Amino acid sequence: MTQVEAPSRQWVFWTGRGISFLGSEFSVLGIPLYCVLVLGFGPGQMGLLVACAGLPALLGPFVAGPLVDLVDRRRLLVGTDLVRAAALIAILPLHMLGAVNLYVLVALQLLLGAADTLYDTAMFAFLPTYFP
């Protein structure tokens, strides 16, 4: 019975991981393209956005490591993916309302960066327990 469950368990994991990866790549490529092509951001504004996306990766692991040890890693992975998806989906209604500006995108990039850092930390701790 264990041999039958293992492939489906891995299929679910790798499918979810692939969907998560596509969303992450959209935030890496899609948001900067949107800012340049639609909003007309210049080099200074783009530098600020890129810095805000990377800032949580510098400071976040000091908080993320202990947090990952305290909570259920699987739920944390799903929760951070949902936060990232909600943050990316929020761009569409904000754009339709005309409410997208530099400050909104800076906050969005900080949120996405923090969620990415938490997700990556949890994934490194989760894999050895999921695939013994």
Side-chain angles (χ1 to χ4, degrees), residues 62-108:
F62 298 111
V63 175
L67 180 64
V68 165
D69 290 336
L70 293 175
V71 299
D72 181 28
R73 292 179 184 125
R74 184 177 300 184
R75 289 184 182 178
L76 185 63
L77 289 169
V78 171
T80 54
D81 262 346
L82 291 175
V83 166
R84 293 189 298 181
L88 290 172
I89 291 170
I91 294 174
L92 181 62
L94 290 172
H95 174 75
M96 294 174 81
L97 293 171
V100 178
N101 57 30
L102 181 63
Y103 303 113
V104 170
L105 290 172
V106 163
L108 182 73

Side-chain angles (χ1 to χ4, degrees), residues 34-60:
Y34 171 76
C35 292
V36 170
L37 298 176
V38 176
L39 300 177
F41 281 8
Q45 294 165 320
M46 290 305 297
L48 178 63
L49 285 177
V50 171
C52 288
L55 185 64
L58 294 173
L59 306 174

Side-chain angles (χ1 to χ4, degrees), residues 19-43:
I19 292 168
S20 174
F21 179 75
L22 286 175
S24 295
E25 289 305 306
F26 176 76
S27 68
V28 169
L29 298 173
I31 292 175
L33 282 174
Y34 171 76
C35 292
V36 170
L37 298 176
V38 176
L39 300 177
F41 281 8

Side-chain angles (χ1 to χ4, degrees), residues 1 5 30 78 87 93 104 121:
M1 227 177 184
E5 293 177 16
V78 171
V104 170
T121 305

